[in-house]
Structures are given as C-alpha cells and as structure tokens.
Amino acid sequence: MIAVLGEALVDLLPAERPGLWRARAGGSPANVALGLGRLGVPARFYGGLSRDGWGRWIRDRLRAAGVEAAGPFSEDPTPLARVEAGAAEEARYRFYLRGTAFEAAGWPQAGEGVRAVHAGSLAAALPPAADEVWGWLERLEGAFVSFDPNVRPGLTPAAFRGVFWERLDRFDLVKLSAADLDWLAAGEDRDAALARLRAAVPWVVLTLGAGGAVGFCGAHEVHVPPPRVRVVDTVGAGDAFTAGLLAWAEAAGVFGGAPLDRAGLTAALVFACRVAGLTLERVGADPPTRKELEARGGEVCGA
C-alpha cells in the first residue's frame, strides 16, 4: 500500500469559447494516487475532501481506480485551480483554497500495510495542511518516503525553501522539475543545488520537460529522452510521471530494500516517461490504466 498525502481539487481548463471552462479533477497528490490506482498499485489518499458534488466526484473517480479516500471530509467547498495557459504550454494556475476543504484538519493516521508514502505540493507548503503533512511524516516509521515539491511561484511561500532543505534526510526519493530546483535554489547555481540534493537523498529524479528526465542514485546518473507523443495538454503529466516511478519501484521491490542499480534506474525512468507521455495526449490529468499502457508496449517492471 502506498499512502499519498496532499490536496485534491478541481482544475478549470479553458474550453473552446472564451468564458467557458471544463472541469477536471486534479490536485497533484490526488493525481498521483489516481495514477497509481490505474496502474494496479494499491493506494490510499489522505487529504481534505469536500462533501459537495465535486468532492463526491473526486472520491468516485479515485474509488473507480481502486484508490481508497481516507479524508478528512469537510462541509466546506472543493478547492479550485483555474488553468491559465494554452494546451501545449506549461500550465499556469490560479488557486482558490481559502475557506475550502483544503484547510480540513484531523487527518487520519496511517493504516495497516503502508510500505511507502508520497507527499508534496501545496499541502506540504501551506498551513494548516502543511502542519498535518509534516506531523504525519514525523510519526511514520519504516516506510519509503517520496516527495515532490511541485512549487507554485507566487503561492508557495519563500519559507518553504527552508522547510524543504532542512528535511532532506527524511526522503528516499525526491522528484522535481528543473523549474522547481531553480526556485528552491534561490539564486544558487543549479549544479551546486543538485549536488546538495544528491548528497542527502538516495534517489533523485529531475524532469526536464521536452528534454526528458535525468535520474541519480549513488554513483549512477541516467538521462532518458521523452517518448514521441502528440502533446494535447501538459496538465497532470508530471504527476503521472511520479505515479510511474512509484509503480515501478513497488513492482521492483525497492520499498522492501531491493537495490537500485543503473539498469533499474534506467527502466524506472523509461517507464515513468511512458506513463507521462500517454497523459500528455489527453486533456486534463487523465493518467493511463495498466491495460492502456500494455497496449502501447509498456511493462510495469522488467526486473
């Protein structure tokens, strides 16, 4: 079981005519949980969920993928994120979080069988959700911890830089984009910041957009180019990539202590890129199922 901690919300995407919007379920951690479930990996989502119509829609979508929604549940409305970029561009968002289920308190604790945890994004950066996330991780023992800062410039507070760097020893895997790393480095040379990250975290993956991804584990460094796809929408692609990484790690026994060699690192990145690639071909955060991936020649784990 992989526990995923963070926010669930509704993305409002531009429709065909000005002033019209398409609603899509989103929130980076919720997208990761959905991606894991569709790949056949047992997952449980922890984070504020509204009891309104959109909240029920999000829960039903997770449940259909085999993901348990643990809550907490709130009478406050579902948070929103309005996407403000063109379909083929890197998505930009305007968030509406205050007074919503994003601020729900009293997160449930880990249940039985949690072997790995994934956390990050806005819920790890903005109180009161951040207090819940970090308290949850502090009480956790013995599980593999994956983290994606998923920085939102203009919304992620500058103080989050210190939170991130001070807690590196808590993470087994950090996946982040080049833009995330530049923001977290705060003017420090990117290579120096990456070296600092690699020195503290066993497994680091840096996504490069159209440049693919590069992974680091011990002395191993592997670059994987992106798959050839017809890009329709970039929303949710990074989260699908994370779900692919974690699904591969689960199948390869990494959470149980299996070593990650160069071949395994390469296979993990290739698989994650395939998962993200199929998501790029769709509107909204809509990661592929295991069946869809296998139809395109992507096995979960070749180890």
Side-chain angles (χ1 to χ4, degrees):
M1 171 71 68
I2 299 179
V4 182
L5 317 180
E7 69 270 13
L9 46 80
V10 166
D11 290 328
L12 297 178
L13 282 67
E16 289 74 19
R17 298 205 311 270
L20 293 181
W21 302 85
R22 293 190 301 267
R24 294 288 187 271
S28 175
N31 293 341
V32 172
L34 180 72
L36 287 168
R38 288 186 175 179
L39 292 173
V41 179
R44 183 182 298 132
F45 175 76
Y46 294 82
L49 288 164
S50 176
R51 291 191 175 93
D52 65 11
W54 272 342
R56 290 193 298 273
W57 174 41
I58 292 170
R59 294 199 304 275
D60 289 346
R61 191 167 184 251
L62 291 171
R63 188 179 301 115
V67 178
E68 177 187 348
F73 302 99
S74 171
E75 300 300 329
D76 290 329
T78 296
L80 302 176
R82 196 174 72 209
V83 180
E84 298 186 328
E89 303 172 21
E90 183 177 352
R92 298 189 303 273
Y93 301 84
R94 183 180 296 274
F95 291 90
Y96 302 87
L97 306 175
R98 189 177 298 276
T100 72
F102 175 81
E103 299 179 326
W107 290 26
Q109 295 306 300
E112 296 292 327
V114 173
R115 292 166 53 82
V117 178
H118 174 74
S121 197
L122 294 174
L126 298 174
D131 299 329
E132 298 281 356
V133 169
W134 295 111
W136 211 98
L137 292 177
E138 287 299 321
R139 290 186 292 271
L140 186 68
E141 295 183 3
F144 182 99
V145 177
S146 162
F147 193 82
D148 178 0
N150 195 31
V151 171
R152 302 300 187 190
L155 184 60
T156 302
F160 179 67
R161 292 187 177 99
V163 172
F164 175 78
W165 292 110
E166 290 165 7
R167 287 171 167 80
L168 289 185
D169 62 352
R170 191 68 187 87
F171 308 140
D172 298 287
L173 164 64
V174 168
K175 173 265 176 186
L176 72 173
S177 69
D180 290 335
L181 182 59
D182 290 343
W183 187 92
L184 290 163
E188 180 182 4
D189 178 76
R190 180 188 289 182
D191 289 339
L194 182 58
R196 184 152 57 112
L197 190 57
R198 291 181 61 187
V201 182
W203 185 7
V204 176
V205 175
L206 186 67
T207 57
L208 306 170
V214 59
F216 308 91
C217 185
H220 305 302
E221 177 178 342
V222 173
H223 176 260
V224 172
R228 293 184 178 180
V229 296
R230 183 176 63 89
V231 177
V232 172
D233 188 357
T234 61
V235 173
D239 305 324
F241 182 96
T242 301
L245 277 183
L246 294 173
W248 190 94
E250 192 272 342
V254 173
F255 302 152
L260 186 64
D261 59 15
R262 184 178 183 84
L265 180 59
T266 302
L269 294 177
V270 167
F271 179 74
C273 283
R274 286 173 176 163
V275 176
L278 289 186
T279 307
L280 287 166
E281 295 183 338
R282 306 172 176 185
V283 174
D286 189 15
T289 64
R290 177 190 289 263
K291 183 176 181 180
E292 289 171 327
L293 193 70
E294 290 174 346
R296 294 281 289 266
E299 298 179 357
V300 172
C301 180

PDB file of all heavy atoms in Angstrom, residues 11-16 20-24 233 283:
ATOM      1  N   ASP A  11      -9.626  21.253 -11.346  1.00  0.00           N
ATOM      2  CA  ASP A  11      -8.992  22.121 -12.334  1.00  0.00           C
ATOM      3  C   ASP A  11     -10.052  22.649 -13.285  1.00  0.00           C
ATOM      4  O   ASP A  11     -10.867  21.875 -13.806  1.00  0.00           O
ATOM      5  CB  ASP A  11      -7.955  21.351 -13.151  1.00  0.00           C
ATOM      6  CG  ASP A  11      -6.715  20.979 -12.352  1.00  0.00           C
ATOM      7  OD1 ASP A  11      -6.345  21.739 -11.442  1.00  0.00           O
ATOM      8  OD2 ASP A  11      -6.119  19.922 -12.649  1.00  0.00           O
ATOM      9  N   LEU A  12     -10.042  23.952 -13.530  1.00  0.00           N
ATOM     10  CA  LEU A  12     -10.905  24.545 -14.534  1.00  0.00           C
ATOM     11  C   LEU A  12     -10.049  24.879 -15.746  1.00  0.00           C
ATOM     12  O   LEU A  12      -9.179  25.751 -15.684  1.00  0.00           O
ATOM     13  CB  LEU A  12     -11.576  25.801 -13.985  1.00  0.00           C
ATOM     14  CG  LEU A  12     -12.510  25.582 -12.781  1.00  0.00           C
ATOM     15  CD1 LEU A  12     -13.078  26.905 -12.302  1.00  0.00           C
ATOM     16  CD2 LEU A  12     -13.635  24.612 -13.135  1.00  0.00           C
ATOM     17  N   LEU A  13     -10.264  24.167 -16.842  1.00  0.00           N
ATOM     18  CA  LEU A  13      -9.469  24.326 -18.051  1.00  0.00           C
ATOM     19  C   LEU A  13     -10.229  25.143 -19.086  1.00  0.00           C
ATOM     20  O   LEU A  13     -11.453  25.011 -19.209  1.00  0.00           O
ATOM     21  CB  LEU A  13      -9.126  22.958 -18.657  1.00  0.00           C
ATOM     22  CG  LEU A  13      -8.011  22.145 -18.026  1.00  0.00           C
ATOM     23  CD1 LEU A  13      -8.393  21.671 -16.624  1.00  0.00           C
ATOM     24  CD2 LEU A  13      -7.675  20.933 -18.876  1.00  0.00           C
ATOM     25  N   PRO A  14      -9.527  25.999 -19.854  1.00  0.00           N
ATOM     26  CA  PRO A  14     -10.216  26.775 -20.893  1.00  0.00           C
ATOM     27  C   PRO A  14     -10.915  25.859 -21.890  1.00  0.00           C
ATOM     28  O   PRO A  14     -10.361  24.840 -22.321  1.00  0.00           O
ATOM     29  CB  PRO A  14      -9.076  27.548 -21.561  1.00  0.00           C
ATOM     30  CG  PRO A  14      -7.981  27.582 -20.543  1.00  0.00           C
ATOM     31  CD  PRO A  14      -8.093  26.297 -19.784  1.00  0.00           C
ATOM     32  N   ALA A  15     -12.142  26.199 -22.220  1.00  0.00           N
ATOM     33  CA  ALA A  15     -12.906  25.444 -23.215  1.00  0.00           C
ATOM     34  C   ALA A  15     -12.744  26.095 -24.584  1.00  0.00           C
ATOM     35  O   ALA A  15     -11.908  26.974 -24.780  1.00  0.00           O
ATOM     36  CB  ALA A  15     -14.370  25.370 -22.799  1.00  0.00           C
ATOM     37  N   GLU A  16     -13.586  25.665 -25.521  1.00  0.00           N
ATOM     38  CA  GLU A  16     -13.414  26.109 -26.899  1.00  0.00           C
ATOM     39  C   GLU A  16     -13.735  27.586 -27.093  1.00  0.00           C
ATOM     40  O   GLU A  16     -13.191  28.237 -27.989  1.00  0.00           O
ATOM     41  CB  GLU A  16     -14.316  25.269 -27.824  1.00  0.00           C
ATOM     42  CG  GLU A  16     -13.858  23.826 -27.992  1.00  0.00           C
ATOM     43  CD  GLU A  16     -14.133  22.992 -26.735  1.00  0.00           C
ATOM     44  OE1 GLU A  16     -14.979  23.428 -25.907  1.00  0.00           O
ATOM     45  OE2 GLU A  16     -13.511  21.935 -26.581  1.00  0.00           O
ATOM     46  N   LEU A  20     -15.777  30.084 -21.212  1.00  0.00           N
ATOM     47  CA  LEU A  20     -16.236  28.737 -20.873  1.00  0.00           C
ATOM     48  C   LEU A  20     -15.068  27.929 -20.318  1.00  0.00           C
ATOM     49  O   LEU A  20     -13.930  28.067 -20.766  1.00  0.00           O
ATOM     50  CB  LEU A  20     -16.807  28.029 -22.103  1.00  0.00           C
ATOM     51  CG  LEU A  20     -18.099  28.601 -22.690  1.00  0.00           C
ATOM     52  CD1 LEU A  20     -18.535  27.772 -23.886  1.00  0.00           C
ATOM     53  CD2 LEU A  20     -19.198  28.645 -21.638  1.00  0.00           C
ATOM     54  N   TRP A  21     -15.378  27.049 -19.343  1.00  0.00           N
ATOM     55  CA  TRP A  21     -14.344  26.262 -18.685  1.00  0.00           C
ATOM     56  C   TRP A  21     -14.795  24.820 -18.584  1.00  0.00           C
ATOM     57  O   TRP A  21     -15.984  24.529 -18.412  1.00  0.00           O
ATOM     58  CB  TRP A  21     -14.066  26.824 -17.276  1.00  0.00           C
ATOM     59  CG  TRP A  21     -13.650  28.252 -17.288  1.00  0.00           C
ATOM     60  CD1 TRP A  21     -14.476  29.352 -17.312  1.00  0.00           C
ATOM     61  CD2 TRP A  21     -12.314  28.754 -17.334  1.00  0.00           C
ATOM     62  NE1 TRP A  21     -13.740  30.503 -17.351  1.00  0.00           N
ATOM     63  CE2 TRP A  21     -12.409  30.171 -17.364  1.00  0.00           C
ATOM     64  CE3 TRP A  21     -11.052  28.157 -17.327  1.00  0.00           C
ATOM     65  CZ2 TRP A  21     -11.290  30.992 -17.407  1.00  0.00           C
ATOM     66  CZ3 TRP A  21      -9.943  28.972 -17.353  1.00  0.00           C
ATOM     67  CH2 TRP A  21     -10.061  30.366 -17.399  1.00  0.00           C
ATOM     68  N   ARG A  22     -13.845  23.908 -18.700  1.00  0.00           N
ATOM     69  CA  ARG A  22     -14.097  22.481 -18.485  1.00  0.00           C
ATOM     70  C   ARG A  22     -13.571  22.105 -17.111  1.00  0.00           C
ATOM     71  O   ARG A  22     -12.428  22.424 -16.770  1.00  0.00           O
ATOM     72  CB  ARG A  22     -13.388  21.628 -19.547  1.00  0.00           C
ATOM     73  CG  ARG A  22     -13.918  21.786 -20.946  1.00  0.00           C
ATOM     74  CD  ARG A  22     -13.303  20.718 -21.861  1.00  0.00           C
ATOM     75  NE  ARG A  22     -11.851  20.808 -21.898  1.00  0.00           N
ATOM     76  CZ  ARG A  22     -11.163  21.491 -22.802  1.00  0.00           C
ATOM     77  NH1 ARG A  22     -11.796  22.163 -23.733  1.00  0.00           N
ATOM     78  NH2 ARG A  22      -9.839  21.510 -22.783  1.00  0.00           N
ATOM     79  N   ALA A  23     -14.360  21.415 -16.337  1.00  0.00           N
ATOM     80  CA  ALA A  23     -13.944  20.978 -15.001  1.00  0.00           C
ATOM     81  C   ALA A  23     -13.299  19.602 -15.091  1.00  0.00           C
ATOM     82  O   ALA A  23     -13.831  18.683 -15.728  1.00  0.00           O
ATOM     83  CB  ALA A  23     -15.140  20.932 -14.056  1.00  0.00           C
ATOM     84  N   ARG A  24     -12.109  19.477 -14.473  1.00  0.00           N
ATOM     85  CA  ARG A  24     -11.399  18.204 -14.407  1.00  0.00           C
ATOM     86  C   ARG A  24     -10.895  18.006 -12.978  1.00  0.00           C
ATOM     87  O   ARG A  24     -10.417  18.945 -12.346  1.00  0.00           O
ATOM     88  CB  ARG A  24     -10.196  18.185 -15.373  1.00  0.00           C
ATOM     89  CG  ARG A  24     -10.562  18.252 -16.851  1.00  0.00           C
ATOM     90  CD  ARG A  24     -11.171  16.944 -17.331  1.00  0.00           C
ATOM     91  NE  ARG A  24     -11.379  16.930 -18.775  1.00  0.00           N
ATOM     92  CZ  ARG A  24     -12.474  17.350 -19.387  1.00  0.00           C
ATOM     93  NH1 ARG A  24     -13.471  17.857 -18.672  1.00  0.00           N
ATOM     94  NH2 ARG A  24     -12.587  17.283 -20.705  1.00  0.00           N
ATOM     95  N   ASP A 233      -2.164  18.350 -23.902  1.00  0.00           N
ATOM     96  CA  ASP A 233      -2.304  19.108 -22.664  1.00  0.00           C
ATOM     97  C   ASP A 233      -1.228  18.647 -21.695  1.00  0.00           C
ATOM     98  O   ASP A 233      -1.026  17.443 -21.516  1.00  0.00           O
ATOM     99  CB  ASP A 233      -3.705  18.853 -22.083  1.00  0.00           C
ATOM    100  CG  ASP A 233      -4.040  19.738 -20.901  1.00  0.00           C
ATOM    101  OD1 ASP A 233      -3.180  20.528 -20.471  1.00  0.00           O
ATOM    102  OD2 ASP A 233      -5.173  19.632 -20.398  1.00  0.00           O
ATOM    103  N   VAL A 283      -6.627  15.511 -22.493  1.00  0.00           N
ATOM    104  CA  VAL A 283      -6.984  16.757 -21.823  1.00  0.00           C
ATOM    105  C   VAL A 283      -7.135  16.506 -20.326  1.00  0.00           C
ATOM    106  O   VAL A 283      -7.808  15.559 -19.911  1.00  0.00           O
ATOM    107  CB  VAL A 283      -8.294  17.337 -22.393  1.00  0.00           C
ATOM    108  CG1 VAL A 283      -8.728  18.560 -21.586  1.00  0.00           C
ATOM    109  CG2 VAL A 283      -8.113  17.703 -23.855  1.00  0.00           C
TER     110      VAL A 283
END
